[in-house]
Amino acid sequence: MARSNRKLIPESHQVLHQWKYEIAAEFGLPVSSSGGVLGSADTEFAGELGTGGTTTGYSSYWGHLTSRENGSVGGEITKRLIAHAQRNLVE
């Protein structure tokens, strides 16, 4: 059976992408998006945490991180999505 990677809500891609880099910065992981608006946000968050940012030479490549580090980012995204859904169901 063919597997589809079609997004149910295409507009969510940008938010999830932003969350990914915000969470990585919160966890102190050495990644950053490549420039643009997100790049400046990464620098802001990383600067607050003292972990660097786009100006320190980090790339958007995540392959140097361990599976545990990458999984922790994905797990935190899942927690935030569930919390967001629960808040919206209550309202």
Side-chain angles (χ1 to χ4, degrees), residues 20-32 42 45-53 56 58 62 64-65 69 72-73 80:
K20 179 171 71 170
Y21 286 98
E22 288 176 8
I23 292 166
E26 289 172 12
F27 289 171
L29 301 176
V31 294
S32 66
D42 292 338
F45 288 112
E48 289 175 5
L49 297 169
T51 59
T56 62
Y58 297 141
W62 290 61
H64 62 286
L65 299 177
E69 291 169 328
S72 66
V73 173
R80 290 183 186 191

Side-chain angles (χ1 to χ4, degrees), residues 10-85:
E11 299 82 16
S12 68
H13 177 76
Q14 186 67 27
V15 172
L16 293 174
H17 186 75
Q18 182 177 355
W19 276 3
K20 179 171 71 170
Y21 286 98
E22 288 176 8
I23 292 166
E26 289 172 12
F27 289 171
L29 301 176
V31 294
S32 66
S33 69
S34 54
V37 174
L38 290 177
S40 62
D42 292 338
T43 302
E44 176 186 344
F45 288 112
E48 289 175 5
L49 297 169
T51 59
T54 57
T55 60
T56 62
Y58 297 141
S59 70
S60 61
Y61 176 68
W62 290 61
H64 62 286
L65 299 177
T66 65
S67 296
R68 181 181 208 116
E69 291 169 328
N70 284 313
S72 66
V73 173
E76 185 64 24
I77 288 173
T78 302
K79 284 185 207 175
R80 290 183 186 191
L81 287 170
I82 291 170
H84 180 73

